[in-house]
Amino acid sequence: MKTIGLIGGMSWESTAVYYREINERMRQRHGGLVSADILLRSVDFSRIAELQQQGLWDQAGAELAQIAQQLERAGAACVLICSNTMHKVAAALTEHIEVPLLHIVDITAEALQRAGKRRPLLLATRYTMEQAFYRERLAARFAIEALVPDADDRSLVHEVIYNELCQGLVRPQSRQAFLDVIARGKAAGADSVILGCTEIGLLIGADDGELAVFDSTFLHAQAAVDFASS
């Protein structure tokens, strides 16, 4: 079994989901007392969030790249950034490590392709929805046209992520608000939904809403298990 390197803490709420999902899926695959061989570095999210807010992405990328190098030196055979937003700096990591970075956008896009989906609604942080890095990668590499909610809905989704989900708050009214956003996305032509923030799965799941849901956290965790088991 190969060792999985996780860069977590962004937020730790979703990193806990990664840890559980990877181990549960590993046990399902191999049975018995098998669990995953994991190296986890969990960062102080307040530090990363401050860099995000200040637009200091290069600095954030340099810090995560250093962590990725540390994981590689410690024996990780692959690295995962347990955050969609921080894949904005993924290139900074791949430039400094030899082991594969399992890219959450590619893994999510491959699942969409297998399901025949081409126009997903992207629910994520404001950085991920409004900046180009995520949607351009989907379009350029997979011919997938991601839609985003309107400005008011983007603000709502972003605020729920940072002020509620990242702080361990799961509120029924926020769940309904997200379902309403999904309904508006469907009316605008979306054929599916990407849960493009690793915390959103704490609020809504595959059976919620009017569209097929692709939870990037679960897909990413499964890709880690597949890699480690190969």
Side-chain angles (χ1 to χ4, degrees):
M1 183 187 301
K2 300 184 184 73
T3 302
I4 300 165
L6 301 180
I7 305 176
M10 302 171 287
S11 67
W12 71 258
E13 297 283 347
S14 63
T15 303
V17 176
Y18 268 92
Y19 186 79
R20 184 187 68 242
E21 285 295 319
I22 289 171
N23 278 296
E24 286 185 350
R25 291 163 189 257
M26 192 67 76
R27 181 170 58 194
Q28 289 168 5
R29 174 170 294 198
H30 298 286
L33 297 176
V34 173
S35 58
D37 187 350
I38 294 173
L39 290 169
L40 168 61
R41 171 70 183 274
S42 185
V43 304
D44 175 5
F45 189 34
S46 67
R47 163 72 176 164
I48 299 298
E50 183 178 352
L51 295 176
Q52 292 174 344
Q53 291 164 8
Q54 294 177 357
L56 298 176
W57 295 101
D58 288 345
Q59 186 173 339
E63 292 188 13
L64 294 194
Q66 184 177 33
I67 293 170
Q69 289 177 311
Q70 292 167 352
L71 290 171
E72 182 178 30
R73 287 196 295 268
C78 68
V79 172
L80 285 73
I81 306 171
C82 301
S83 161
N84 282 270
T85 296
M86 295 312 296
H87 277 74
K88 178 177 171 67
V89 302
L93 279 68
T94 57
E95 290 173 1
H96 291 92
I97 58 175
E98 299 295 327
V99 299
L101 175 74
L102 304 189
H103 201 295
I104 201 167
V105 178
D106 296 350
I107 290 159
T108 303
E110 288 163 1
L112 286 160
Q113 283 190 330
R114 289 193 296 270
K117 304 300 183 182
R118 294 293 179 185
R119 299 193 78 211
L121 177 69
L122 175 60
L123 300 183
T125 67
R126 180 179 286 115
Y127 310 113
T128 304
M129 291 186 289
E130 295 182 354
Q131 298 182 23
F133 70 96
Y134 203 103
R135 288 177 289 116
E136 284 188 352
R137 192 176 182 99
L138 287 172
R141 296 189 173 217
F142 301 95
I144 292 173
E145 179 191 0
L147 309 180
V148 296
D150 65 22
D152 288 343
D153 283 346
R154 292 197 302 272
S155 293
L156 181 152
V157 170
H158 183 88
E159 293 303 316
V160 168
I161 290 168
Y162 277 85
N163 296 333
E164 297 178 23
L165 299 179
C166 287
Q167 299 185 43
L169 301 175
V170 180
R171 294 174 170 161
Q173 60 267 38
S174 296
R175 177 179 179 275
Q176 185 56 56
F178 271 52
L179 295 179
D180 292 342
V181 172
I182 291 172
R184 288 189 284 274
K186 180 181 179 183
D191 63 7
S192 52
V193 180
I194 297 173
L195 304 188
C197 173
T198 54
E199 284 80 26
I200 298 178
L202 300 170
L203 190 65
I204 58 176
D207 297 327
D208 296 324
E210 304 177 37
L211 295 172
V213 172
F214 293 81
D215 188 324
S216 60
T217 304
F218 290 172
L219 293 167
H220 211 195
Q222 184 62 56
V225 171
D226 292 343
F227 180 90
S229 300
S230 64

